[in-house]
Amino acid sequence: MAGPDDTKVEEHAKIDRKSAWKQLWRLFKYTGPYAGRLSIALGALLFTVSVGLAVPWFFGDLLATAVDASMADAAKLNESTLVLVSLFAFQGVFVFIRHYLMSWVGERVVADLRMEIHAHLLRMTQRYFHANRTGELLSRQSDDATRLQSIIGQDLSLALRNILSLIGGIGFLFYVSPGLTGRVLLVVPPLVIIANLWGRIIRRLARQAQDQLAKASGRLQEGLSAVDTVQSFTREEFEGARYGEAIDKAFKLFVKQIRARSWFMSVSSFLAFCAVAGIFWLGGHMVLDGTMDKDDLFRFVLYTLQVAGSVGGLAGVIGSFNQGLGSAARLFEILDSEPEIADSPGAQALSQPKGRLSFDGVTFGYDDRDTEVIKDLDLVIEPGEVCALVGSSGSGKTTLSRLVLRMWDPQAGAVRYDGQDLRELTLSSLRGSIAEVSQDPVLFSGSIRENIRYGRLDASDAELESAARDANAHDFILEFPEGYDTIVGERGVKLSGGQRQRVAIARAILRDPTVLILDEATSALDSESEHMVQAALERLQQGRTTLVIAHRLSTIRDADRIVVLDHGQVVEQGKHPELMAKGGAYAKLVARQASLEPGGDGDGEGESQAEAD
């Protein structure tokens, strides 16, 4: 019984002929900026085809002269041979021009397409990446794009050459012997029918194979990105077997595709060369009957071989085209996916932001959940205020920060920045005034300098080092032999947790945001690292609207206001002493956390005493 993934593959595999031609035309539109190079390449192609069509005519003379001793003419033989060699020399030059320029255009188009897909993916929303695994998207951008290079760089050239050779060859055949040519062309309708039927099969199999390969790539990326977890659970063999199973499924689909292409080329070549055998038989009888000259027979046979070769070449190109169209469909599927979060028409840039945030009747729920995470929530955070969000897991703390960054839009109500609905602001100006420091900050695999400068690309080295000092990162950076040029590794694996955190804080300081979001920024650190990071965060918060999301309540007791969330609603808010005095939800959270800490007695005094110390 087919699973949901198999059904999805079948649905994706249904590419009708009209859609295939549409995708092919869309793909070749990318050659527009390079029309000059393409025109020169096509001119060279026309010349090489013309030479190729002239060759059988001269060979016909040569063969007739060589076979019939009574007509032997050494001067004519030498002259014809010299003409052929000259033609071949010119043809070689133009073959180089055609191949080089067509291949250049193919590589350039693929590079443009990859950059466009990458830029498009960077604009896609969180929902899109929740629904599509990163490994599958990477497979499309790399493997599928590579397959398209052969269509534009090689297959287009081969297809045009074979089509022109086919048309020209048939024209010469009609010129030499119209009656014999009519009989030869009887093989064309069966070839057209076969090409149409097999083309649909190859396109479907190509799409299925690429989809399965993308799934395998997704599993590979998932396993490698969590290799520490795989190894700690000793699941190396399990992951290897899981990836092997996915690759084996892809291999079997590719074999089906290869089998279909092989049958197509085999049958079409058989029919084409059967026509050649028929020519020998029919033409030979016509020479014996005196209705055809010997040199015309040689020319006819050579042109028939050329036409048969063109038909066989087209069979291979059509198979490659069909395979490439499956890849094109997958790439265009990405480009046709519109981001749900984008600048609305007439969106205005945020000018001179003050940092006032307000949630007006906000309701929000994720697509994959039946319940609403935020329910009719009203909250105002004033400019420069440090507002801490606390609550049990799933209460909506992080979701609010995602809404502020407009990674999602609420289903009801509005999130406002300085009184303006976020949907009326440009994304670049909104997010440009916000910086975030999370529990597990992402660092890129370059140097420490590059990671800090990510906050503001035009910052000078002096500004960068000043930000590092404010983040308590300058001293430990200088301890490295390479200093600021130290490579941090993928996701910053060569740095400790506290060092990564301080580099991320330096990046946020360099950005100089109006609004700061701190999402569990110290919860995973040891006491010494937490002290260093906390001191850096306090400097970073000065004069900025700060949204603090924290599980460790000891880190937010000095916040201007603490907001307690429960099931997406505000149940309490105020300063730490006020909320403790109330003995409500916040006091219970403090008491529960204190009871779980060493020396805690469960009544909340442990927390207060620890903080007093």
Side-chain angles (χ1 to χ4, degrees):
M1 184 176 179
D5 288 340
D6 297 327
T7 304
K8 183 179 179 181
V9 169
E10 290 292 339
E11 290 175 352
H12 284 317
K14 296 177 181 177
I15 308 173
D16 58 31
R17 198 186 331 174
K18 182 177 179 181
S19 175
W21 280 109
K22 183 178 178 182
Q23 289 162 358
L24 189 60
W25 173 246
R26 182 176 177 183
L27 177 62
F28 284 116
K29 278 183 173 181
Y30 284 87
T31 64
Y34 317 108
R37 291 174 180 263
L38 201 58
S39 298
I40 296 174
L42 293 178
L45 174 65
L46 287 173
F47 180 84
T48 56
V49 170
S50 300
V51 171
L53 291 171
V55 167
W57 193 271
F58 283 99
F59 263 121
D61 284 341
L62 284 174
L63 289 172
T65 301
V67 171
D68 195 341
S70 63
M71 296 176 59
D73 186 341
K76 184 179 180 181
L77 188 63
N78 293 339
E79 180 184 345
S80 297
T81 302
L82 184 61
V83 170
L84 278 174
V85 172
S86 300
L87 285 175
F88 289 148
F90 278 108
Q91 188 183 42
V93 173
F94 282 89
V95 165
F96 171 81
I97 294 173
R98 170 186 61 82
H99 185 269
Y100 173 78
L101 291 178
M102 292 296 292
S103 298
W104 187 95
V105 171
E107 292 289 354
R108 183 67 260 175
V109 166
V110 169
D112 292 345
L113 192 58
R114 280 176 171 156
M115 288 188 290
E116 183 180 350
I117 291 171
H118 181 249
H120 186 79
L121 286 173
L122 291 177
R123 294 194 299 269
M124 295 307 292
T125 58
Q126 300 290 306
R127 181 178 283 109
Y128 183 82
F129 292 104
H130 286 185
N132 298 275
R133 288 198 294 187
T134 305
E136 293 187 29
L137 296 175
L138 291 176
S139 174
R140 294 193 188 192
Q141 192 173 1
S142 58
D143 299 340
D144 288 335
T146 300
R147 290 180 181 275
L148 296 187
Q149 190 280 333
S150 63
I151 289 185
I152 299 172
Q154 300 174 22
D155 294 340
L156 174 61
S157 175
L158 292 174
L160 291 175
R161 189 189 71 183
N162 286 314
I163 289 172
L164 292 174
S165 296
L166 179 62
I167 295 172
I170 292 174
F172 274 102
L173 287 177
F174 270 112
Y175 179 77
V176 174
S177 177
L180 194 56
T181 302
R183 298 176 187 179
V184 172
L185 294 181
L186 290 176
V187 76
V188 172
L191 284 176
V192 172
I193 294 173
I194 291 171
N196 184 43
L197 293 176
W198 249 294
R200 295 180 183 180
I201 295 171
I202 292 171
R203 281 198 300 271
R204 184 178 70 250
L205 291 174
R207 180 60 186 264
Q208 290 177 345
Q210 286 301 115
D211 279 344
Q212 183 57 43
L213 183 61
K215 289 181 181 178
S217 298
R219 288 186 177 178
L220 175 65
Q221 188 270 339
E222 192 175 47
L224 292 180
S225 63
V227 67
D228 52 345
T229 303
V230 173
Q231 292 175 349
S232 64
F233 279 89
T234 63
R235 289 293 178 263
E236 294 91 342
E237 291 185 8
F238 172 77
E239 287 297 329
R242 191 165 69 147
Y243 177 66
E245 181 183 355
I247 283 292
D248 192 53
K249 287 182 180 179
F251 169 74
K252 290 177 180 177
L253 288 170
F254 278 117
V255 169
K256 286 184 179 180
Q257 176 191 332
I258 293 170
R259 187 183 299 122
R261 287 187 64 186
S262 299
W263 272 112
F264 176 49
M265 296 176 67
S266 173
V267 172
S268 59
S269 297
F270 172 74
L271 292 176
F273 287 105
C274 276
V276 176
I279 294 304
F280 277 111
W281 186 79
L282 290 172
H285 279 283
M286 292 176 71
V287 171
L288 293 174
D289 295 341
T291 57
M292 177 181 278
D293 293 334
K294 188 178 295 183
D295 55 346
D296 283 339
L297 175 61
F298 285 137
R299 291 191 185 105
F300 198 93
V301 170
L302 291 173
Y303 279 117
T304 302
L305 288 171
Q306 188 176 63
V307 168
S310 298
V311 171
L314 278 175
V317 170
I318 290 172
S320 183
F321 260 111
N322 284 316
Q323 185 178 13
L325 287 176
S327 296
R330 289 158 48 82
L331 291 175
F332 291 142
E333 187 178 85
I334 294 177
L335 293 176
D336 291 337
S337 302
E338 293 294 333
E340 297 174 12
I341 306 295
D343 290 344
S344 59
Q348 298 179 346
L350 189 63
S351 60
Q352 298 181 337
K354 298 180 179 59
R356 186 177 191 272
L357 301 176
S358 60
F359 299 84
D360 299 337
V362 170
T363 296
F364 174 79
Y366 295 99
D367 290 342
D368 56 352
R369 304 182 193 177
D370 296 331
T371 58
E372 295 170 336
V373 181
I374 306 295
K375 302 175 184 177
D376 195 26
L377 183 140
D378 291 299
L379 179 65
V380 177
I381 304 172
E382 297 296 340
E385 181 181 9
V386 177
C387 179
L389 302 179
V390 301
S392 58
S393 179
S395 60
K397 304 183 298 297
T398 299
T399 297
L400 287 182
S401 70
R402 301 292 91 189
L403 292 175
V404 170
L405 282 164
R406 207 188 163 207
M407 297 298 183
W408 306 86
D409 280 335
Q411 281 89 35
V415 183
R416 302 185 188 279
Y417 192 120
D418 291 348
Q420 291 181 277
D421 192 322
L422 299 190
R423 289 166 287 202
E424 298 174 357
L425 299 171
T426 61
L427 286 172
S428 59
S429 66
L430 168 66
R431 294 173 182 170
S433 70
I434 302 173
E436 180 181 26
V437 180
S438 63
Q439 175 181 352
D440 185 20
V442 174
L443 299 185
F444 298 96
S445 58
S447 66
I448 293 175
R449 186 186 309 278
E450 291 170 338
N451 274 281
I452 297 176
R453 185 168 275 132
Y454 204 79
R456 183 159 56 88
L457 298 178
D458 60 352
S460 66
D461 285 345
E463 291 173 317
L464 185 147
E465 292 182 15
S466 175
R469 286 190 179 92
D470 289 342
N472 288 335
H474 181 73
D475 292 340
F476 86 75
I477 292 174
L478 292 184
E479 291 176 0
F480 292 116
E482 301 297 326
Y484 281 86
D485 295 318
T486 300
I487 302 301
V488 302
E490 187 176 1
R491 296 186 66 89
V493 293
K494 294 184 179 181
L495 302 181
S496 69
Q499 290 171 338
R500 284 198 302 270
Q501 208 75 325
R502 280 177 275 170
V503 170
I505 293 170
R507 181 171 61 189
I509 292 173
L510 193 63
R511 190 170 181 79
D512 191 21
T514 304
V515 174
L516 177 65
I517 297 174
L518 304 177
D519 191 350
E520 311 281 2
T522 62
S523 62
L525 303 179
D526 57 68
S527 299
E528 183 178 354
S529 296
E530 181 182 357
H531 174 74
M532 298 289 288
V533 170
Q534 193 64 43
L537 289 175
E538 288 174 2
R539 281 195 291 271
L540 178 58
Q541 294 174 40
Q542 292 176 7
R544 295 182 171 93
T545 303
T546 306
L547 198 61
V548 183
I549 300 167
H551 280 308
R552 295 175 67 171
L553 303 181
S554 59
T555 63
I556 49 94
R557 63 168 298 174
D558 294 326
D560 297 328
R561 182 158 45 118
I562 297 171
V563 175
V564 184
L565 298 175
D566 185 37
H567 293 90
Q569 294 181 316
V570 176
V571 293
E572 280 185 349
Q573 56 181 311
K575 289 183 176 291
H576 174 79
E578 299 170 0
L579 295 177
M580 289 298 293
K582 284 184 179 179
Y586 178 75
K588 291 178 181 177
L589 285 173
V590 172
R592 187 180 307 122
Q593 191 168 101
S595 67
L596 297 175
E597 293 179 354
D601 56 10
D603 59 4
E605 293 301 323
E607 173 80 3
S608 302
Q609 184 61 44
E611 291 171 358
D613 294 338

